[in-house]
Amino acid sequence: MDTQQTYKRIIYLREELNKHNHQYYVLAKPLISDFDYDLLMMELTSLEKKYPEFTDTSSPSSRVGSDLNKEFEQASHRWPMLSLSNSYSKDEIAEFYQRVKKSVPETVPFVCEYKFDGVSISLTYKKGKLVEALTRGDGIVGDVVTDNIKTIKSIPLELQGNEIPDEITARGEIYMPRSGFYKYNEQRLLNGEDTLANPRNGAAGSIKLQNSSAVAKRPLDCYIYFILGDQLPFNNHLDNLKKAKEWGFRTSDTIKYCDKIEDVFAFIDETANKKNTLDYDIDGVVIKADSYDHRERLGFTAKTPRWAIAYKFPAEQVCTKLLSVVFQVGRTGAVTPVANLEPVQLAGTSVKRATLHNADQIKSLDLHEGDMVYVEKGGEIIPKIIRVEASSRHAISKPVAFIENCPDCHTALIRNEGEAAYYCPNEDGCPTQIKGKMEHFISRKAMNINAAEATIDLLYTNGFLKNIADLYSLEKSKIEHLERFGSKSAQNLIESIEASKENPFHRVLFALGIRYVGETVAKKLAQHFGSIDNIMKATTDELIAADEIGERIAESVQDFFKSEKNVLLIQKLKDVGLKMIAEAKDSSQSSNKLEGKSYVISGTFTRYSRERLKELIDEHGGKNTSSISSKTDFLLAGDDMGPKKLEKAKQLGIKIISEMDFIKAIE
């Protein structure tokens, strides 16, 4: 064949393979045998290898994955991946229904869907081609796992049909069918390998593998449950999902349209009766308003949509024996009790330990040594003790007592007023806290230094590390002779430490481990203040003026920088070259119409969600703050806004504006 004929053959093979993938994995109606399919794939990969100029990232050949290991990058979700409010009773669903009726007097049709128990994924398509796949992450930023997701054959690499917008985002759930899970585990046993714990863990672990060719061997599947875009064909959820099926997505056939609360309850009962007969795990039902207009009118809370709710099925419970209670101290000094249990099977895994949270829970459970206890998985993930079988308790068993001294350094514990946890106050001398701070500092979402907990323990025990700044003075020649080290591993560690100096300021701030300053708060502080120096000298009012910073966070930040030891630590980190100044924002797409103005948003809105309003304020040069102070310029007020904020705004003489006032200001 000449070059032109080869190109035509490659295009033909791609179209054929895409068609057969859709027939087999989405429609479950295969047209050819696996053998014939493999022959087509072999021919395509051979031609693409021979003619690399015809490479296309959307080719079906990309589904086989790559043998290259790859660290995951992070990217922002265009639309935040919000959580849903959870309910565990029909009474709570009825209350949700009444709240909706109060906000939207006319009939609000709902759609009810299975709540798949897998891993959420966000897929972005441009011009009909898959360009990016993101994990949920923190809802704002997720890991880019595009290469891994391409190996899942029920996810189209290129959409088909008509009315496809230039850009859409498809939200779905990656899961491992039970049949595929059991078959895969059988093969691992034959190979002498460890088996996967359960389908959900198997799916979660698979999409985060560093090697996409390994992902291709896992029996993963995907249901799409949400389509987002600026130019969707319909103004309601159900019709857009039907359209998505025409485009090549796999959507559930069990979605039910409900215009009465009785229909919702019937769907819940029907699903509860059949959930154990399905080939995939579900842990509840999701109820959503179908109309996008109704969704806009219902709006959002800070974390969840008001137009949707999840009904969760009761968690599985088992009874087992309490063997002992041990106490662990974390990097913040908080002491957590953990129950050691007689091993028992629960929701597909063997459970040996369960969290007890704090002293108050031990007391409320009336927990005694050797008790028979009921355990369930909170959210089907974390084992917890929910009650005690007191009738089987031995007459002479003693109550479980919370310890009085740190389990590591033996310092007397303290308990701050209004807090449930006990703390070890010896943060500078408690080895577990010191090492915990270092482990947090090197973690992937902080400084991303390639070292394990055992490495930190080894370096600390041998006197090389006293605090996080000491990482930057490590020398290869001095550590390569330590146990478990060698020339190559020592060099890799030094290079990883050096590379960490390129991390942006907000990650450095998060890595410091300031109490209550998580990833999101660190980003907000970095964006608002611009540098570590500005944060260090900020007053309480100035800190609270930053978006999402309340009094508790402000107090914690100030306490951290009041410590002379911490100020000295910051200087050491500056000296070694860590970034302590935020990079300038790219303002190429922003106006300065709101420059110098600060806004507090409260209530629900009709045209935009609260998150989108915050984005618009940022885009036009304004500042978002969470609390009203004398420095607030505007209170952007919606329906059902907090009365305390309204009262305080009036007291301080702050201008109160509506959503339409705001839109006029930026237009």
Side-chain angles (χ1 to χ4, degrees):
M1 290 189 293
D2 60 24
T3 304
Q4 189 61 31
Q5 289 174 320
T6 300
Y7 178 68
K8 288 182 179 179
R9 181 63 180 172
I10 287 174
I11 295 300
Y12 168 78
L13 290 169
R14 287 172 180 168
E15 290 174 350
E16 281 295 293
L17 286 163
N18 280 331
K19 179 182 74 175
H20 291 304
N21 277 329
H22 184 69
Q23 286 290 139
Y24 186 93
Y25 293 100
V26 177
L27 304 181
K29 296 177 180 178
L31 299 176
I32 60 174
S33 67
D34 290 350
F35 178 76
D36 289 335
Y37 178 92
D38 290 341
L39 287 178
L40 292 174
M41 181 64 79
M42 288 170 62
E43 183 183 357
L44 175 62
T45 53
S46 174
L47 288 173
E48 288 179 334
K49 188 174 181 180
K50 190 174 180 181
Y51 296 89
E53 63 267 32
F54 299 138
T55 298
D56 187 333
T57 55
S58 297
S59 171
S61 61
S62 63
R63 295 193 185 278
V64 300
S66 165
D67 288 327
L68 295 175
N69 286 337
K70 184 176 178 181
E71 290 292 330
F72 295 115
E73 299 174 353
Q74 281 78 48
S76 298
H77 294 286
R78 182 181 175 191
W79 290 278
M81 288 190 79
L82 300 177
S83 302
L84 291 176
S85 297
N86 288 331
S87 67
Y88 296 89
S89 72
K90 289 182 180 177
D91 288 342
E92 291 174 342
I93 298 298
E95 288 172 9
F96 161 76
Y97 185 74
Q98 290 303 318
R99 287 197 301 271
V100 169
K101 283 187 67 176
K102 185 178 178 181
S103 298
V104 185
E106 68 262 30
T107 300
V108 177
F110 290 92
V111 285
C112 293
E113 309 168 7
Y114 289 171
K115 187 175 184 300
F116 298 101
D117 190 16
V119 183
S120 297
I121 197 72
S122 181
L123 309 169
T124 298
Y125 290 79
K126 292 183 178 180
K127 303 294 184 183
K129 291 190 175 185
L130 175 63
V131 294
E132 186 177 68
L134 293 181
T135 62
R136 178 189 292 277
D138 62 3
I140 306 298
V141 174
D143 286 333
V144 180
V145 291
T146 314
D147 288 344
N148 285 354
I149 294 305
K150 283 182 176 181
T151 68
I152 302 173
K153 295 183 177 65
S154 56
I155 293 177
L157 303 179
E158 192 167 0
L159 304 182
Q160 59 191 18
N162 52 36
E163 296 183 274
I164 302 172
D166 287 345
E167 181 176 346
I168 63 164
T169 295
R171 297 273 166 83
E173 196 85 355
I174 306 294
Y175 69 95
M176 191 175 285
R178 291 173 180 169
S179 55
F181 167 76
Y182 295 132
K183 187 176 179 180
Y184 183 75
N185 267 350
E186 287 174 7
Q187 188 59 51
R188 288 181 74 89
L189 282 172
L190 291 174
N191 296 339
E193 299 172 313
D194 292 335
T195 56
L196 302 178
N198 56 51
R200 188 191 187 284
N201 289 0
S206 296
I207 67 168
K208 296 303 288 291
L209 290 173
Q210 299 293 318
N211 185 322
S212 60
S213 66
V215 183
K217 298 173 184 175
R218 301 281 179 101
L220 298 176
D221 216 325
C222 179
Y223 273 118
I224 296 300
Y225 55 75
F226 196 8
I227 301 294
L228 299 107
D230 294 326
Q231 298 174 318
L232 297 179
F234 300 100
N235 197 36
N236 69 301
H237 174 70
L238 190 56
D239 285 334
N240 279 325
L241 274 189
K242 290 177 180 177
K243 195 66 177 176
K245 188 169 186 178
E246 293 178 19
W247 293 338
F249 290 113
R250 188 164 189 246
T251 60
S252 176
D253 293 327
T254 60
I255 300 173
K256 185 172 182 180
Y257 183 87
C258 303
D259 55 11
K260 300 192 298 290
I261 190 65
E262 292 78 14
D263 296 335
V264 173
F265 291 154
F267 185 82
I268 289 173
D269 292 339
E270 178 188 332
T271 305
N273 290 333
K274 64 163 55 171
K275 72 183 184 76
N276 292 327
T277 66
L278 303 171
D279 191 36
Y280 44 81
D281 291 335
I282 61 172
D283 59 357
V285 168
V286 178
I287 301 108
K288 306 173 183 175
D290 184 43
S291 164
Y292 293 168
D293 288 338
H294 289 158
R295 292 184 182 189
E296 282 289 337
R297 287 162 66 182
L298 291 164
F300 298 80
T301 67
K303 295 183 178 179
T304 60
R306 297 181 190 273
W307 43 263
I309 193 169
Y311 174 85
K312 299 288 289 289
F313 295 129
E316 180 185 344
Q317 299 177 6
V318 292
C319 188
T320 189
K321 186 176 183 180
L322 174 69
L323 300 178
S324 64
V325 175
V326 296
F327 296 85
Q328 301 174 338
V329 59
R331 66 176 175 85
T332 64
V335 175
T336 304
V338 178
N340 288 321
L341 308 169
E342 202 166 81
V344 63
Q345 285 292 313
L346 175 62
T349 59
S350 177
V351 173
K352 301 176 184 177
R353 311 181 89 197
T355 179
L356 286 165
H357 298 294
N358 51 51
D360 290 344
Q361 190 186 18
I362 291 175
K363 186 176 180 180
S364 66
L365 286 168
D366 187 28
L367 197 62
H368 282 53
E369 296 171 355
D371 270 347
M372 296 300 294
V373 296
Y374 285 90
V375 182
E376 73 174 27
K377 286 193 175 181
E380 305 267 354
I381 298 172
I382 305 168
K384 62 180 180 181
I385 294 175
I386 55 168
R387 61 189 174 93
V388 171
E389 185 56 72
S391 62
S392 62
R393 179 180 293 159
H394 199 283
I396 60 171
S397 68
K398 298 178 181 179
V400 173
F402 204 91
I403 57 175
E404 297 180 353
N405 297 87
C406 174
D408 189 11
C409 68
H410 311 296
T411 301
L413 301 179
I414 61 171
R415 189 177 188 178
N416 297 325
E417 186 177 350
E419 294 191 14
Y422 280 90
Y423 289 88
C424 169
N426 185 25
E427 62 174 315
D428 297 328
C430 180
T432 303
Q433 289 189 63
I434 295 169
K435 288 185 286 185
K437 287 179 173 65
M438 295 178 190
E439 289 161 7
H440 170 73
F441 185 82
I442 68 170
S443 62
R444 185 171 66 85
K445 293 185 178 181
M447 299 306 287
N448 195 25
I449 294 173
N450 188 19
E453 290 181 17
T455 302
I456 294 296
D457 183 63
L458 181 68
L459 293 170
Y460 175 81
T461 304
N462 283 274
F464 287 98
L465 298 179
K466 293 186 177 65
N467 57 54
I468 55 179
D470 290 341
L471 284 161
Y472 295 92
S473 59
L474 291 175
E475 298 176 21
K476 176 190 171 186
S477 60
K478 293 183 178 179
I479 65 173
E480 63 183 350
H481 302 297
L482 292 174
E483 183 185 0
R484 294 196 302 272
F485 265 103
S487 177
K488 186 174 181 180
S489 56
Q491 182 63 33
N492 288 342
L493 176 59
I494 299 298
E495 289 176 358
S496 182
I497 292 171
E498 187 64 25
S500 73
K501 295 178 182 179
E502 298 303 314
N503 283 316
F505 169 48
H506 68 84
R507 287 181 64 170
V508 177
L509 186 60
F510 170 59
L512 293 176
I514 303 171
R515 198 173 178 203
Y516 306 131
V517 178
E519 289 179 82
T520 302
V521 170
K523 288 177 184 176
K524 297 290 185 183
L525 286 169
Q527 289 168 1
H528 186 88
F529 290 99
S531 72
I532 195 79
D533 291 336
N534 289 340
I535 296 173
M536 289 171 71
K537 65 186 181 185
T539 65
T540 300
D541 283 347
E542 287 170 341
L543 286 165
I544 291 174
D547 186 24
E548 296 188 18
I549 308 302
E551 290 182 8
R552 186 174 69 167
I553 296 173
E555 183 181 346
S556 177
V557 170
Q558 288 193 312
D559 286 345
F560 183 87
F561 290 115
K562 280 178 186 174
S563 166
E564 191 174 327
K565 171 185 67 71
N566 289 335
V567 172
L568 181 62
L569 177 68
I570 296 300
Q571 188 58 53
K572 288 181 178 178
L573 295 175
K574 283 183 179 179
D575 292 342
V576 298
L578 267 62
K579 294 183 178 179
M580 296 294 181
I581 298 175
E583 295 178 1
K585 284 186 180 179
D586 177 13
S587 57
S588 58
Q589 295 183 348
S590 304
S591 78
N592 59 358
K593 292 179 180 178
L594 308 181
E595 188 173 356
K597 304 297 182 184
S598 65
Y599 290 76
V600 171
I601 300 176
S602 183
T604 58
F605 301 88
T606 56
R607 181 163 173 181
Y608 294 115
S609 68
R610 288 161 62 109
E611 288 304 316
R612 181 57 185 147
L613 287 169
K614 287 182 178 182
E615 290 173 1
L616 288 169
I617 290 169
D618 286 337
E619 288 171 13
H620 293 279
K623 290 184 178 180
N624 286 286
T625 58
S626 57
S627 302
I628 291 175
S629 71
S630 58
K631 295 188 177 182
T632 304
D633 293 298
F634 297 101
L635 172 61
L636 177 48
D639 296 332
D640 300 323
M641 68 170 295
K644 289 184 179 179
K645 284 185 177 177
L646 181 60
E647 183 181 347
K648 190 170 183 180
K650 289 179 178 178
Q651 287 174 354
L652 295 174
I654 292 164
K655 187 171 183 180
I656 301 168
I657 62 172
S658 68
E659 184 179 17
M660 288 311 299
D661 294 331
F662 174 77
I663 292 168
K664 288 176 183 176
I666 62 174
E667 290 179 349

